Amino acid sequence: NAGVTQTPKFRVLKTGQSMTLLCAQDMNHEYMYWYRQDPGMGLRLIHYSVGEGTTAKGEVPDGYNVSRLKKQNFLLGLESAAPSQTSVYFCASSQDHPSSYNEQFFGPGTRLTVL
Amino acid sequence: TQLLEQSPQFLSIQEGENLTVYCNSSSVFSSLQWYRQEPGEGPVLLVTVVTGGEVKKLKRLTFQFGDARKDSSLHITAAQPGDTGLYLCAGAGNQFYFGTGTSLTVIP
């Protein structure tokens, strides 16, 4: 079991460029999440998905889009990168709804720098 | 707006000392989780507390959920260098809400 994997691990973009971050999980989890982590701010939820074909906005969705065409994959897109999107991005998955006392499993993160 | 505030933000102690980290909120959560994150890795779950007033122990770590299910604490007894890391609390509601984090360094 690989758990949750993320690609790429590092990326440098210029302002205005676009990119897609890929998250994959092999635990057959229904819920998947994208977070960003900035110093002193913990983890903030960008978008999440409660199942294949569904997506929903989290706390900080502006400037990002997501898609979940397959249950095991959750993609995060930046259409026009801005320096404010410089951050470490984490993908996570859980079997069920957060209120069901589920554990989230996290990927290793993607460090993105926007110049 | 951060729903969960952790204190202290940074903590540096000598090996063998005790410490407490606090996670406070004005919101009620169905459960509260504590995660530990090491540099270059994702957070890993330590414990989930569900009932108000609940206390859970994990070796030298003691976790408590407040009676009103709004706050929690993590107490480490006789800290060791292997405890070094970023500790995050997360409240569960319609989504997970993470705290601001406490960066702990245990000096040998």
Side-chain angles (χ1 to χ4, degrees):
Chain A
N1 268 358
V4 179
T5 58
Q6 293 182 231
T7 53
K9 290 187 177 181
F10 303 93
R11 187 71 186 270
V12 178
L13 290 178
K14 294 182 179 179
T15 297
Q17 288 184 320
S18 63
M19 77 162 294
T20 301
L21 281 65
L22 172 62
C23 175
Q25 53 96 2
D26 61 3
M27 296 171 283
N28 202 35
H29 284 172
E30 292 294 334
Y31 286 67
M32 296 188 74
Y33 315 83
W34 274 107
Y35 293 92
R36 60 177 290 173
Q37 185 173 37
D38 302 290
M41 301 192 73
L43 290 159
R44 292 182 293 169
L45 183 65
I46 304 171
H47 286 281
Y48 64 100
S49 169
V50 302
E52 181 178 322
T54 74
T55 62
K57 294 180 179 180
E59 182 185 357
V60 288
D62 294 342
Y64 305 95
N65 57 76
V66 289
S67 65
R68 186 135 179 236
L69 300 179
K70 294 183 178 181
K71 186 176 183 178
Q72 63 268 32
N73 296 335
F74 195 28
L75 279 63
L76 177 69
L78 284 72
E79 291 184 347
S80 180
S84 61
Q85 294 178 303
T86 293
S87 186
V88 181
Y89 291 85
F90 287 97
C91 177
S93 71
S94 66
Q95 177 55 43
D96 207 337
H97 191 274
S99 65
S100 300
Y101 321 132
N102 271 225
E103 175 178 1
Q104 286 187 95
F105 294 84
F106 284 85
T110 295
R111 184 174 295 275
L112 173 66
T113 301
V114 182
L115 303 175
Chain B
T1 303
Q2 203 80 29
L3 283 183
L4 286 163
E5 296 288 339
Q6 288 184 235
S7 61
Q9 186 175 359
F10 298 98
L11 192 55
S12 181
I13 62 171
Q14 295 289 329
E15 181 177 359
E17 292 184 348
N18 302 332
L19 67 113
T20 302
V21 176
Y22 299 93
C23 173
N24 296 304
S25 176
S26 58
S27 300
V28 176
F29 297 104
S30 59
S31 66
L32 196 135
Q33 299 178 329
W34 285 92
Y35 290 79
R36 181 168 68 203
Q37 183 180 15
E38 300 193 13
E41 299 181 6
V44 176
L45 181 69
L46 294 173
V47 77
T48 301
V49 285
V50 175
T51 307
E54 181 177 3
V55 177
K56 278 192 175 179
K57 291 190 176 183
L58 186 66
K59 296 183 180 179
R60 294 176 293 99
L61 280 62
T62 302
F63 305 85
Q64 184 164 8
F65 201 11
D67 291 341
R69 292 188 289 134
K70 292 182 179 181
D71 51 77
S72 181
S73 64
L74 158 60
H75 182 79
I76 300 179
T77 303
Q80 299 178 359
D83 296 326
T84 293
L86 179 68
Y87 289 82
L88 294 160
C89 63
N94 288 329
Q95 62 186 58
F96 290 103
Y97 299 91
F98 277 85
T100 47
T102 295
S103 179
L104 171 65
T105 301
V106 181
I107 303 166

